[in-house]
Amino acid sequence: MVSADKIKGFIVGAAAAVTIMSAGAAFAGPVSQSITAVYNDIRIVVNGRPITPVDTDGKKVEPFVYDGTAYLPVRAVAQALNQQVFWDGSNHSVYIGTVAITDEQALQLVSDYRRYYRIVNGGLSREGRETCTHQSVQVEGAASPLDSLCGFNSVQELKQYLQETFTPEYTDQLIADLKIRELGGKLYMMPVGGGTMLSWDKAVVLSKKEDGGRAEVEFKVPYGDGKDVPDSTRKVTFQFVEGQGWRLTERL
């Protein structure tokens, strides 16, 4: 674990910037503050080894001095100390070493799994967002006609919706499995339909196992069709997505 004195003064961001973005305690919104930064070819030496800090794209990031304090790129320095770095853009948080999923985050994500069922049941028109007439089209290479998918104008828009709950990799897998295609400004998919008898919005966290940016959470989930049916116990895997936060990696 990185001690507090090793990371004191580290900040995230491009060192070339002269505007610092900060947020209030309740993340009410970003606040811009112009500063005068001094660049003086600051060297970073970790345990006797010089390092050249770079960003995630491999571009050099230069440390600077502001108001008597040296500001260093947290990712480069932490990685030089053999620590993982995770940036959670949704919560404006940097995690060094390990990142833990909270019960609230896990419960929110499994509850939001209903996004998948909204898609396989025809889209968002049933949620009151808009109405559309469902159509079926025969597409070359498809074994059966494809049904129209309401509420989205492009695959990219659908991806953005799904990636609020699922990892980018699993989102791509879902789109491929459902054979979603964009035709004439509309989306079509393989007919599936379905739902679940499990009330994920009433689930309870039983245990958690975390390893870096992955977590396995065990839930107790009640059935929604009566008191005589025992609760189900399910294990679900989550992945931390850089810049976004925790996401589901699998179908429930």
Side-chain angles (χ1 to χ4, degrees), residues 86 167 169 213-215 237-241 245-249:
F86 301 95
T167 63
E169 294 79 11
R214 291 184 69 85
T237 303
F238 300 83
Q239 176 75 42
F240 190 89
V241 178
W246 289 99
R247 295 293 186 266
L248 282 167
T249 67

Side-chain angles (χ1 to χ4, degrees), residues 56 69 87 95 105 107 110-111 121 130 133 147 152 167 169-170 176 192 203 209 232 238-239 242:
T56 54
T69 298
W87 164 240
Y95 297 91
Q105 288 171 325
L107 290 169
V110 294
S111 178
N121 285 314
E130 65 176 62
T133 302
D147 286 348
F152 302 95
T167 63
E169 294 79 11
Y170 189 61
V192 180
K209 294 181 181 179
S232 176
F238 300 83
Q239 176 75 42
E242 186 79 14

Side-chain angles (χ1 to χ4, degrees), residues 1 83-86 94-100 210-213 246:
M1 180 178 294
Q83 297 293 319
Q84 290 181 298
V85 179
F86 301 95
V94 179
Y95 297 91
I96 300 174
T98 60
V99 54
E210 295 159 334
D211 181 15
W246 289 99

Side-chain angles (χ1 to χ4, degrees), residues 82-197:
N82 296 318
Q83 297 293 319
Q84 290 181 298
V85 179
F86 301 95
W87 164 240
D88 183 355
S90 61
N91 292 307
H92 310 284
S93 301
V94 179
Y95 297 91
I96 300 174
T98 60
V99 54
I101 188 171
T102 66
D103 288 3
E104 291 76 13
Q105 288 171 325
L107 290 169
Q108 184 63 56
L109 285 167
V110 294
S111 178
D112 280 350
Y113 185 76
R114 58 183 176 268
R115 289 173 184 256
Y116 167 76
Y117 291 115
R118 289 173 184 166
I119 299 305
V120 299
N121 285 314
L124 296 181
S125 60
R126 299 185 184 186
E127 299 298 317
R129 175 176 170 179
E130 65 176 62
T131 59
C132 73
T133 302
H134 282 278
Q135 300 174 334
S136 294
V137 297
Q138 184 65 52
V139 178
E140 184 179 355
S144 59
L146 302 181
D147 286 348
S148 57
L149 177 60
C150 293
F152 302 95
N153 297 316
S154 67
V155 173
Q156 185 58 38
E157 186 180 353
L158 174 62
K159 280 187 177 184
Q160 291 175 351
Y161 176 74
L162 291 174
Q163 285 179 8
E164 292 182 24
T165 302
F166 305 101
T167 63
E169 294 79 11
Y170 189 61
T171 294
D172 288 341
Q173 181 182 330
L174 284 176
I175 289 175
D177 290 345
L178 295 172
K179 295 181 171 55
I180 294 176
R181 302 190 184 184
E182 188 174 335
L183 302 170
K186 295 182 180 180
L187 296 186
Y188 294 86
M189 58 172 283
M190 177 182 66
V192 180
T196 178
M197 297 297 293

Side-chain angles (χ1 to χ4, degrees), residues 22-42:
S22 61
F27 300 119
V31 177
S32 298
Q33 177 186 357
S34 296
I35 66 171
T36 300
V38 178
Y39 295 87
N40 193 25
D41 194 23
I42 298 173

